[in-house]
Amino acid sequence: MKILVIDDNPHKMRQIVDFLKHDFAAAEIVERRSYQSGLKAALLEDPQIILLDMTMPTFDVGGRETGGRERRYAGQQILRQLRRKDAKAFIIVVTQFEKFGEGDEQVTLDQLRDGLSREFEERYLGAVYYQAADSKWREELRAMVARVVSITTRGTDA
Amino acid sequence: MPHHGRVSRHSRSAGPTLRQRARPYMSLLFAGKSLPSPLDVAIKEEDSRVIDFILRISPVTSRRLLGRPFPQAIKDLAGPIPTAFSDDITTEIHWTFSELLHHAEKVRDFILSKKQIEDALLKGEFDTCGSLLTSVESRLGKSWWGLETGLLLAQHKGGLAANRSLLKAYHDEDISPWTRFLASFFSRRAEDEISAEEYDETCAAFSATADEPKNRLRTWAYFRFRLQFPRFDSAEYLPYCLSVEESHSLIDRYVTFVRVLQRVLIDNTHPADERIRETILHAAREIPGDHLKLMAAFLDPGYLGRTDESQLLMDLLHEYTIGEYDSVREKSLAAAQSHVGRFAFYELAAKATIRSRAKLVNPFGVRLVPHRILNCLYHILARDTETTQCMRELHKLSYQHDSMSLGHEMFAFHEQHSEDQKPLRGNRFAAFTATIPTPRLVMAMTKHGEALDYLSNLDALYPGNSAVQLFLSTSRSLSTGRDVLPASGLPNSRLLKYRAYVLESLKQYGSALDAYRELEKTAESNPMLRADATTGQYRCYLELDQVMECAEILAAAAVNNPHLVSPHTLLVVIRRYSDSRENEWLKNMAWPILFSVSQREGYSPQDPELLHDVLDDFLSAWGLRRPSDLRGGDALAELSRPMLVYLLRYLCIPGVLDSSIWYDSQEEVEQERIKICEWLSEVDADGRDAYTSEIAELTSRATIRDLTHKAGQSKIYVDTAGIKSQLPVGFGDRWRRCALYATLSKNLQDGVELLGLADKQAKSMNIAAIDEGFKLFKSLFQELRQSFISSNQYGLDSNLSQRIRHGTLSGEIRAQFEAFGLVTQKDVSGSDYLENVHWLDKLGVTDDDQRRSRVAEAFAVLSRGVDSLVHTVRNRWIQIRGPQKEDGMFDYDFTDDELKAMHQQIVGLPNLDAFTDGVFDQLWRRTERDLERVRVAITERLKQLLYDLLDSCYAAIQSMLAPSETVDLRSDITNCKQQIEYGLDTLSQWFHIDRAQRMPSFQLSVLTDALLQQVAKYCGPYRLQVDKHFTEDRRLVGRLFRPLWDLLFILFDNIAKYAGLDRVPVDLTVCEHDGVLTIQVLNDLGQSVDRNQVMSKVERAKREFDRGDSDLLRSEGGSGFHKIYKIVRYELHCDRYEIALGISDNDRFAATVELPAGEFYDEDSGHRR
């Protein structure tokens, strides 16, 4: 099983990856830090599960690259691209924000969850609210990933 | 009077007399009683003569049944509704007509006056208009129409101020809320500046939800009818609209009566209703306004009549039909001037101008509405670059002049050109809001027999008229299903067009397509014909379900001229792509082009991701990844050049390409765009200048990015060459002695060192055994170390001060907090912090909230904490460790053992230069070690400390507010932490050694652009508005990059901090004269700046520098003026220079640096003087 994690926050990425390596030791973990590198990996490396942040820069930040334009809904855009390209991965959004967007277009995490569920019902598993000091996110993530493992295993067995 | 052959059911018969029929009502009315049900409705259904009898018999009955048809004051405008509501359209129409008939003479008076008033207003004769309006009101009383016309007049005459003044005058009268509300809306509608979209949005408030009670639904409907008539779509409420109007003036009842009838015909809600038909015909006889006459002519062509205006129009239509465009142009322009209220003349003038390929000569005064109308029609029909803007303006004008006939005709024209119309099937709104019956009216008729009947009557009125003949032929074709050629003598294009229309209407789409293609060939540059041909082909393809061909036709037209395709058409077609996305379609370039056109023209919202997706579909279908891959590929052979140019120019732009997975950085995206521009320059000569300019812009952007990156890297620098050049006299001798000692054997190096003399005893002294050689070495080492660290001109500490501690460090840390408004500046006293109004407002903590002071204090603590940490980093960490700076992270203490080991390594080096390099090498290694510690301290310790500050702030506030109140704060703190991480990563990159790699040459203008981006970032809330004037901008050698960057940064940083203004106008001038390069920065000073104090500082800095008080070079907190001298003298290596700092005659601070330019230019770049 290959799990792709797309997040531009190094600390959060570390926490998630360490958790995955601990709880799903057999899985291959791939890390990417931006919309572009994340989407590219999602389309070309065929992961079974994708964990992604919602808000990200367009490109990996580093050196002369400042990241390009920030995409407030990068996660949603990745989901759309995956649907457009008929990718088969399951998606889990992992975010540390409760609100997205600005002004009249601002939405809460619950509204975002509802919207994503409606728009991507087949492949979207849910959104996990990440807080570094809290362990609840681990339990939620564990359950979602385990569900995919189970679906995948059933599929393989069949 | 035209004869009408039908018999009304209300016709006279031998039966009860009028008095007898009126009696049941009269007795009650005379007695002052209300009519009970069902009499209250039955009276409305009585014969008009009965009603008229009742109304005439006594003022009492008239008053009871008609209310106040002539209110004398605005406050009397809205009274109670005098009659019961029947909820039946025919009954209400009949009743209203009866009311109007009773006052027919006054209605005729109003119709005539209305035209005079509208004409005067359109001609700009505002005083005449005002007088006429007053006169009408004195005769017929106040009305909504009068109110609205008055406000429109005020707007045209005196602008918004006059409009609002008049509205206020209305409001100041004792008027009802109903009146107040309607008056406000009329005022709003009359404004010049309110757009149609904004007005529509305002009216959207009148849309009720389904669960509202019926009376409110009806009221909303009435408002929509009154205030948004062209978009009214609730026919079920028309009876109510008429009923409500009974509470208003006679004038308003007439206006609404006409509009309701128009609506009934437009929406065709009661096609077979004989009573409505009879009422229209009767009304057209008794109160013959233009609209009623037209409606009557539609229903019964026997009502067609000829007037001077209609004769003129028909003559012009005849000439236009036969192609006499020049003549029609001149005559219709003259006609429009004479009959300013007749839209048809404007339209004809615009069309004839285009057809005659002449430029529009607008005869109206620029400020007048007719000027704007004609201008708009011309550009809309011409399908040029002003089409979109003119559509918006015409739409706005239509709303603004809603009270006039012109208003609805303008709206109809706008709608017709927003949507693609089926040929020969006109817009019904356009048909029934016209004022003169023309052949075009047949397009609203559903039956061929009716159309032929109408046209025959028209033919009888205007014999030999080619326009009529053409329509007759067309109608005959449609009714017989055969292509009937019209009379000859018509231009070929017209014949082709109408033939195509006929074939399409007969559903012979294949033949129609051929005709439209033929039309396209003859269209040449005529935009109207081209648009007809394009949309005709599109419609036929769509009917034949050939969607791909639709798209190609539209794309080809849109690339040539986007206004050839209506927005509605475009959206319908691209929706088919989104719905289907057939594989065979993806290879066709038409699709990405259509999506791009739609967004560029504003027909659909901006969505670069969607554009990317369609572009990606196209490229992927051809097995390609990037647009530049198209070049030389198979796809190219199949692409039309104009479409390829459009695709590359407008779609393959960075904002779209950056969504592709095939570019790993912004730079790669921009490189791709440069390649595309280079390709475009080859294939599109007309756009070459634009492409060259874009390439220059992209290159400059990359250079700025590069320079900014370099400036942010490796700031740690010691000018060891400078140190070497300034070694004291005797240093060389001491080194030689040291080197000589090193050649001796160990025991020969032993010596003694006097520690001290013993007290009182002669010849008694304390000595210690030493290694002379080592001692010599140590002394030399320490001297070099001291210079390395502390030389004001060349050493590490002064460079740390200049490049890191002065301004940039504080800016880099604080900037992350300032971006989210989390910190504030100190107040005037310097001891407290300004209140964080931004967050207090955002958290909803108002002035009278008890928690305010505590929440404010939490943010003040945060600001204080951040500044304290900045102080710690700057004044304690980024320092050379010593007795006064124990926390300094640059530790150059070496133990004797370390020195001994160094001694062994270095002392044998062959010459002084190698020796000093060897010592410096050791010092650089120590520096590397310390830099690593600094980087770790910044990215880990400092980060955690800053995070702790944020967490503490949040905890303090969270204890005072509910979690739901702090969601935004939580979110921004999370974002801030992320930015802190990025910022500290950037900051840590400063702490690398600047190895003075060969910097490329650069232009000062580009350096300035890059620098100003950094200044904006580092210099807090202050904003510099810099105007640059470069008369000299040759490329400078790379070694000057850092010093000039630092120099300019200090100057700009000073301005931001000390100019005393939130936004500071700055002028930067660079010029060269007689070998002297002059850089001057001039900035405004705020009122609060003490000019004397500024000059004092300037003079002191110069004195101190000249005197050599250069410890100031290593300290921060001041203006940095010393550092400017140091940079010029020691880093730019200028012996001859001038620095002038002071306040100019026009009270601006001026910093001028003059440098000898000779060695500065990069001769290799080809800019030799």
Side-chain angles (χ1 to χ4, degrees):
Chain A
M1 158 151 306
K2 186 183 281 187
I3 303 176
L4 169 63
V5 186
I6 311 174
D7 203 307
D8 65 319
N9 183 318
H11 180 68
K12 184 177 159 212
M13 171 73 91
R14 270 286 54 76
Q15 293 244 307
I16 292 172
V17 168
D18 287 349
F19 159 73
L20 289 171
K21 283 180 175 171
H22 181 270
D23 279 42
F24 301 94
E28 178 192 349
I29 314 295
V30 176
E31 301 174 35
R32 292 290 182 270
R33 297 187 290 121
S34 68
Y35 168 83
Q36 183 271 340
S37 63
L39 178 59
K40 192 173 185 179
L43 292 174
L44 302 183
E45 298 189 39
D46 199 26
Q48 281 72 52
I49 304 175
I50 302 173
L51 271 54
L52 55 80
D53 193 6
M54 186 49 63
T55 304
M56 279 184 274
T58 298
F59 301 106
D60 288 1
V61 174
R64 290 210 305 253
E65 182 55 62
T66 53
R69 60 185 164 111
E70 189 189 59
R71 292 170 183 256
R72 296 214 165 252
Y73 293 100
Q76 191 172 33
Q77 288 167 0
I78 290 176
L79 275 159
R80 285 192 182 131
Q81 291 302 320
L82 294 174
R83 182 177 59 189
R84 188 171 79 88
K85 295 290 189 179
D86 208 25
K88 301 298 178 206
F90 289 95
I91 320 291
I92 302 167
V93 170
V94 184
T95 178
Q96 55 191 335
F97 293 106
E98 295 162 90
K99 281 191 178 177
F100 305 88
E102 310 241 325
D104 290 341
E105 295 177 358
Q106 195 175 63
V107 297
T108 64
L109 180 56
D110 282 340
Q111 286 169 327
L112 184 72
R113 279 179 175 133
D114 288 342
L116 293 175
S117 291
R118 277 196 303 274
E119 196 177 348
F120 306 103
E121 52 179 309
E122 284 189 9
R123 292 281 146 188
Y124 165 76
L125 293 180
V128 172
Y129 179 53
Y130 168 90
Q131 285 284 276
D134 199 336
S135 64
K136 194 172 165 215
W137 64 270
R138 289 189 178 84
E139 292 158 21
E140 290 179 16
L141 202 49
R142 183 181 297 119
M144 288 186 197
V145 173
R147 194 170 133 209
V148 175
V149 170
S150 161
I151 294 170
T152 315
T153 311
R154 274 205 308 271
T156 313
D157 288 347
Chain B
M1 188 68 74
H3 169 70
H4 59 104
R6 294 172 180 81
V7 175
S8 160
R9 70 178 178 85
H10 301 296
S11 61
R12 185 177 293 203
S13 60
T17 63
L18 290 178
R19 185 179 290 276
Q20 285 166 333
R21 288 169 70 179
R23 189 172 290 132
Y25 307 104
M26 277 165 22
S27 55
L28 288 165
L29 291 171
F30 282 146
K33 293 181 180 168
S34 300
L35 293 176
S37 175
L39 282 182
D40 54 356
V41 173
I43 190 172
K44 292 174 122 174
E45 294 172 345
E46 286 289 351
D47 188 297
S48 304
R49 290 168 299 170
V50 174
I51 296 170
D52 192 55
F53 178 85
I54 295 170
L55 293 175
R56 286 191 191 283
I57 198 82
S58 161
V60 172
T61 55
S62 174
R63 212 162 36 243
R64 292 302 305 278
L65 293 172
L66 296 186
R68 276 190 296 217
F70 310 105
Q72 294 303 304
I74 292 173
K75 65 182 176 63
D76 299 326
L77 265 178
I81 302 174
T83 64
F85 177 49
S86 69
D87 208 0
D88 176 71
I89 188 65
T90 52
T91 304
E92 295 299 330
I93 285 174
H94 176 69
W95 173 252
T96 305
F97 176 57
S98 301
E99 293 181 315
L100 297 173
L101 199 57
H102 181 65
H103 291 293
E105 198 177 315
K106 289 195 187 286
V107 175
R108 284 193 286 270
D109 178 3
F110 169 67
I111 291 169
L112 192 62
S113 301
K114 179 173 184 282
K115 187 176 185 316
Q116 291 170 341
I117 287 167
E118 288 178 1
D119 284 358
L121 193 142
L122 290 169
K123 287 179 183 170
E125 296 165 1
F126 300 132
D127 291 337
T128 304
C129 180
S131 301
L132 288 168
L133 184 60
T134 306
S135 176
V136 161
E137 288 184 337
S138 70
R139 296 194 308 278
L140 303 176
K142 300 288 186 187
S143 63
W144 292 121
W145 172 86
L147 224 72
E148 181 167 14
T149 304
L151 288 162
L152 187 62
L153 174 62
Q155 177 70 45
H156 281 310
K157 191 175 174 185
L160 182 63
N163 175 345
R164 300 295 293 177
S165 290
L166 184 57
L167 177 67
K168 186 173 185 312
Y170 291 156
H171 281 183
D172 285 347
E173 297 193 31
D174 182 22
I175 58 176
S176 65
W178 178 264
T179 308
R180 194 180 294 268
F181 174 77
L182 283 173
S184 296
F185 253 87
F186 292 146
S187 168
R188 189 174 306 177
R189 190 158 71 182
E191 286 180 32
D192 279 336
E193 295 307 321
I194 187 167
S195 68
E197 295 80 16
E198 195 179 345
Y199 186 76
D200 280 339
E201 270 176 32
T202 313
C203 291
F206 304 145
S207 300
T209 53
D211 55 353
E212 288 195 67
K214 189 160 186 183
N215 60 336
R216 285 177 68 174
L217 291 176
R218 293 199 301 219
T219 307
W220 289 133
Y222 175 76
F223 285 142
R224 289 199 304 278
F225 181 86
R226 256 283 170 201
L227 300 170
Q228 214 181 10
F229 174 74
R231 297 200 182 281
F232 185 77
D233 60 358
S234 310
E236 70 271 31
Y237 294 111
L238 288 175
Y240 182 73
C241 293
L242 279 169
S243 174
V244 168
E245 220 59 60
E246 289 184 50
S247 63
H248 301 147
S249 73
L250 186 79
I251 289 174
D252 297 316
R253 295 178 211 191
Y254 168 75
V255 169
T256 296
F257 172 72
V258 170
R259 290 189 177 193
V260 165
L261 291 175
Q262 284 175 312
R263 214 64 251 182
V264 166
L265 290 179
I266 290 165
D267 300 330
N268 209 15
T269 51
H270 296 78
D273 193 299
E274 196 56 37
R275 284 190 299 164
I276 293 179
R277 186 176 184 281
E278 279 303 311
T279 303
I280 292 173
L281 297 178
H282 193 175
R285 291 196 302 276
E286 299 293 343
I287 43 177
D290 291 328
H291 293 123
L292 282 169
K293 285 196 286 190
L294 183 137
M295 284 190 268
F298 176 85
L299 294 169
D300 184 341
Y303 276 74
L304 272 170
R306 192 166 55 207
T307 64
D308 291 342
E309 281 178 330
S310 70
Q311 182 69 60
L312 176 58
L313 181 59
M314 289 305 295
D315 288 343
L316 290 173
L317 285 173
H318 165 74
E319 284 190 52
Y320 183 84
T321 304
I322 62 174
E324 301 287 331
Y325 301 125
D326 287 316
S327 169
V328 172
R329 182 184 79 244
E330 282 177 27
K331 290 178 187 172
S332 54
L333 283 171
Q337 286 180 280
S338 306
H339 307 278
V340 282
R342 298 296 187 193
F343 185 82
F345 294 121
Y346 294 95
E347 187 177 355
L348 205 47
K351 282 182 169 171
T353 304
I354 291 168
R355 285 289 220 154
S356 63
R357 299 176 201 227
K359 280 258 178 263
L360 175 68
V361 178
N362 199 319
F364 298 102
V366 167
R367 291 176 182 277
L368 296 180
V369 171
H371 184 276
R372 293 162 68 188
I373 294 173
L374 184 58
N375 199 54
C376 286
L377 297 186
Y378 172 79
H379 286 294
I380 290 169
L381 290 166
R383 305 288 208 272
D384 60 21
T385 54
E386 294 185 49
T387 298
T388 306
Q389 177 57 32
C390 284
M391 283 285 279
R392 298 189 73 234
E393 183 168 0
L394 193 72
H395 195 182
K396 184 174 75 170
L397 283 171
S398 76
Y399 281 172
Q400 192 182 27
H401 298 85
D402 183 83
S403 59
M404 298 185 179
S405 308
L406 261 186
H408 292 164
E409 290 183 281
M410 284 192 275
F411 182 87
F413 186 91
H414 173 269
E415 291 295 280
Q416 282 176 303
H417 289 85
S418 299
E419 295 192 6
D420 185 36
Q421 304 290 321
K422 290 269 188 219
L424 306 177
R425 282 240 223 110
N427 179 306
R428 290 180 73 87
F429 188 89
F432 293 108
T433 52
T435 53
I436 301 175
T438 64
R440 208 154 61 174
L441 191 58
V442 300
M443 296 204 283
M445 294 177 183
T446 53
K447 294 180 183 152
H448 295 306
E450 285 176 355
L452 285 168
D453 192 20
Y454 172 82
L455 289 167
S456 298
N457 274 269
L458 208 56
D459 190 35
L461 274 177
Y462 308 100
N465 189 296
S466 292
V468 178
Q469 295 302 316
L470 185 58
F471 270 85
L472 262 172
S473 304
T474 308
S475 291
R476 285 183 192 128
S477 297
L478 293 177
S479 74
T480 60
R482 287 184 300 113
D483 186 8
V484 175
L485 283 176
S488 58
L490 300 184
N492 189 42
S493 61
R494 193 168 309 291
L495 285 172
L496 274 172
K497 185 167 104 168
Y498 277 88
R499 181 154 184 275
Y501 281 179
V502 165
L503 289 167
E504 187 183 344
S505 299
L506 293 175
K507 300 191 192 321
Q508 295 172 24
Y509 298 116
S511 303
L513 261 176
D514 292 335
Y516 282 123
R517 286 191 196 116
E518 203 57 41
L519 179 65
E520 190 173 25
K521 284 185 203 153
T522 60
E524 292 178 351
S525 57
N526 186 305
M528 296 189 322
L529 288 177
R530 292 208 60 177
D532 288 335
T534 302
T535 51
Q537 288 176 73
Y538 145 77
R539 285 192 305 267
C540 291
Y541 278 127
L542 210 56
E543 289 292 344
L544 295 170
D545 207 32
Q546 292 176 9
V547 179
M548 193 59 254
E549 286 78 359
C550 275
E552 280 176 350
I553 284 286
L554 291 177
V559 157
N560 178 31
N561 179 352
H563 305 293
L564 289 176
V565 179
S566 80
H568 178 258
T569 302
L570 196 52
L571 291 173
V572 163
V573 174
I574 63 178
R575 204 171 299 132
R576 293 291 294 263
Y577 180 94
S578 303
D579 291 343
S580 306
R581 221 169 137 230
E582 307 273 338
N583 277 336
E584 64 199 52
W585 293 358
L586 302 186
K587 273 191 166 185
N588 199 308
M589 189 192 281
W591 294 109
I593 286 175
L594 288 178
F595 277 87
S596 173
V597 169
S598 181
Q599 290 188 22
R600 285 190 73 230
E601 296 304 316
Y603 306 154
S604 40
Q606 298 299 308
D607 189 347
E609 277 74 41
L610 176 59
L611 291 180
H612 159 266
D613 290 353
V614 187
L615 177 64
D616 184 55
D617 282 347
F618 168 68
L619 292 171
S620 299
W622 285 99
L624 304 172
R625 293 179 174 182
R626 302 182 177 196
S628 55
D629 296 339
L630 279 167
R631 201 166 184 174
D634 294 336
L636 202 58
E638 299 194 19
L639 306 177
S640 92
R641 177 159 288 202
M643 284 170 67
L644 174 68
V645 168
Y646 185 96
L647 182 96
L648 294 177
R649 183 169 187 174
Y650 297 114
L651 197 53
C652 300
I653 55 176
V656 172
L657 297 178
D658 75 351
S659 292
S660 167
I661 62 172
W662 304 117
Y663 308 96
D664 291 336
S665 65
Q666 189 65 32
E667 190 168 352
E668 279 190 37
V669 170
E670 289 174 2
Q671 286 300 318
E672 173 74 1
R673 181 61 189 169
I674 288 175
K675 271 194 217 172
I676 291 169
C677 286
E678 286 166 349
W679 187 9
L680 280 167
S681 292
E682 292 170 25
V683 298
D684 179 29
D686 290 341
R688 205 162 277 157
D689 286 346
Y691 307 136
T692 305
S693 182
E694 192 177 344
I695 291 172
E697 166 65 27
L698 288 165
T699 308
S700 171
R701 216 184 286 173
T703 307
I704 287 175
R705 200 167 38 235
D706 196 41
L707 288 179
T708 308
H709 173 72
K710 283 190 165 63
Q713 296 285 300
S714 311
K715 290 187 179 223
I716 306 302
Y717 176 68
V718 175
D719 186 356
T720 52
I723 291 171
K724 281 196 220 175
S725 70
Q726 298 282 309
L727 287 174
V729 171
F731 188 92
D733 294 334
R734 283 187 284 132
W735 168 75
R736 271 185 286 281
R737 186 159 171 252
C738 175
L740 207 53
Y741 260 82
T743 62
L744 300 174
S745 59
K746 177 74 177 67
N747 58 336
L748 295 178
Q749 293 189 51
D750 289 342
V752 298
E753 183 180 58
L754 178 64
L755 298 176
L757 291 175
D759 288 336
K760 292 178 184 156
Q761 291 179 306
K763 295 188 185 175
S764 176
M765 50 182 66
N766 294 324
I767 58 172
I770 57 162
D771 180 336
E772 287 271 7
F774 173 67
K775 183 184 171 195
L776 278 166
F777 169 78
K778 191 172 170 181
S779 152
L780 290 169
F781 172 81
Q782 283 171 339
E783 202 165 322
L784 284 173
R785 184 192 68 174
Q786 188 61 20
S787 295
F788 184 91
I789 297 166
S790 306
S791 162
N792 288 321
Q793 295 85 0
Y794 311 114
L796 175 66
D797 201 26
S798 92
N799 277 300
L800 283 175
S801 176
Q802 175 185 310
R803 288 186 176 177
I804 295 179
R805 297 196 299 249
H806 185 101
T808 47
L809 180 73
S810 163
E812 186 64 53
I813 297 173
R814 242 182 171 267
Q816 322 309 334
F817 292 84
E818 279 163 356
F820 297 96
L822 291 165
V823 296
T824 54
Q825 300 289 331
K826 281 189 176 162
D827 64 13
V828 175
S829 71
S831 52
D832 290 325
Y833 283 85
L834 294 169
E835 204 176 53
N836 195 323
V837 175
H838 168 76
W839 273 106
L840 288 166
D841 284 349
K842 219 169 164 183
L843 292 168
V845 182
T846 53
D847 279 342
D848 52 2
D849 194 317
Q850 288 170 345
R851 303 169 296 180
R852 188 179 179 91
S853 63
R854 287 182 293 143
V855 172
E857 178 57 23
F859 282 109
V861 166
L862 176 62
S863 296
R864 202 173 296 125
V866 170
D867 283 342
S868 173
L869 274 176
V870 166
H871 184 269
T872 296
V873 173
R874 189 178 66 200
N875 292 53
R876 289 164 59 187
W877 292 7
I878 314 300
Q879 295 284 347
I880 312 296
R881 182 174 294 184
Q884 265 90 46
K885 296 186 180 173
E886 290 174 347
D887 295 325
M889 289 192 175
F890 291 90
D891 179 5
Y892 292 94
D893 279 341
F894 288 82
T895 64
D896 274 357
D897 284 345
E898 285 171 327
L899 288 173
K900 281 177 184 166
M902 210 186 296
H903 176 224
Q904 294 302 316
Q905 261 183 286
I906 296 172
V907 76
L909 293 169
N911 55 51
L912 176 62
D913 209 44
F915 173 78
T916 52
D917 283 345
V919 169
F920 288 141
D921 185 53
Q922 293 297 317
L923 292 170
W924 280 127
R925 285 180 200 217
R926 175 57 64 90
T927 307
E928 291 272 21
R929 183 203 72 174
D930 291 343
L931 287 173
E932 174 59 30
R933 287 204 317 208
V934 170
R935 289 193 294 270
V936 169
I938 285 171
T939 54
E940 294 181 14
R941 189 149 49 116
L942 177 60
K943 182 174 84 176
Q944 193 53 56
L945 288 169
L946 292 170
Y947 280 9
D948 289 346
L949 283 177
L950 284 168
D951 290 340
S952 299
C953 178
Y954 179 70
I957 291 169
Q958 191 193 26
S959 66
M960 294 181 260
L961 301 175
S964 58
E965 292 174 297
T966 58
V967 172
D968 285 342
L969 181 61
R970 269 201 304 283
S971 187
D972 275 11
I973 284 177
T974 305
N975 268 319
C976 182
K977 283 183 176 178
Q978 187 127 334
Q979 294 308 311
I980 286 170
E981 178 127 27
Y982 288 146
L984 293 181
D985 274 344
T986 303
L987 186 59
S988 72
Q989 294 309 308
W990 296 357
F991 296 95
H992 287 276
I993 295 170
D994 179 2
R995 300 261 179 222
Q997 299 144 352
R998 180 158 173 73
M999 284 284 282
S1001 61
F1002 63 96
Q1003 284 172 289
L1004 194 52
S1005 59
V1006 182
L1007 179 148
T1008 311
D1009 287 342
L1011 176 71
L1012 286 171
Q1013 287 181 12
Q1014 296 299 296
V1015 169
K1017 187 181 161 193
Y1018 291 137
C1019 296
Y1022 310 106
R1023 293 286 168 258
L1024 307 190
Q1025 295 162 330
V1026 182
D1027 282 331
K1028 296 174 293 202
H1029 316 278
F1030 282 83
T1031 56
E1032 179 53 68
D1033 201 20
R1034 282 180 276 174
R1035 299 189 77 85
L1036 303 174
V1037 292
R1039 71 170 179 84
L1040 301 177
F1041 176 78
R1042 281 223 181 273
L1044 285 174
W1045 180 282
D1046 291 345
L1047 175 88
L1048 287 170
F1049 183 87
I1050 290 171
L1051 289 176
F1052 287 127
D1053 183 53
N1054 269 341
I1055 294 171
K1057 287 189 174 121
Y1058 301 118
L1061 294 165
D1062 288 343
R1063 291 191 183 277
V1064 193
V1066 180
D1067 286 294
L1068 167 66
T1069 306
V1070 178
C1071 58
E1072 188 194 327
H1073 184 65
D1074 286 343
V1076 174
L1077 181 70
T1078 302
I1079 302 171
Q1080 186 183 62
V1081 179
L1082 278 167
N1083 64 274
D1084 287 6
L1085 292 171
Q1087 295 289 332
S1088 60
V1089 172
D1090 184 337
R1091 273 72 168 154
N1092 291 332
Q1093 204 178 58
V1094 167
M1095 285 315 299
S1096 241
K1097 264 193 205 171
V1098 162
E1099 281 149 17
R1100 192 170 64 238
K1102 181 156 196 331
R1103 278 197 309 271
E1104 283 160 353
F1105 186 82
D1106 287 343
R1107 209 162 51 212
D1109 285 352
S1110 29
D1111 281 353
L1112 293 166
L1113 288 170
R1114 294 186 273 132
S1115 65
E1116 297 77 45
S1119 60
F1121 289 148
H1122 313 85
K1123 295 183 173 65
I1124 294 173
Y1125 286 96
K1126 180 243 181 188
I1127 291 168
V1128 170
R1129 175 71 182 85
Y1130 296 110
E1131 292 188 41
L1132 293 173
H1133 299 295
C1134 293
D1135 293 326
R1136 294 170 293 109
Y1137 60 90
E1138 286 293 330
I1139 297 175
L1141 304 165
I1143 296 176
S1144 67
D1145 291 340
N1146 56 356
D1147 198 36
R1148 301 184 89 194
F1149 188 84
T1152 308
V1153 179
E1154 290 179 351
L1155 309 165
E1159 294 165 13
F1160 286 179
Y1161 298 122
D1162 181 1
E1163 295 186 353
D1164 292 341
S1165 70
H1167 292 286
R1168 193 185 294 263
R1169 239 191 333 154

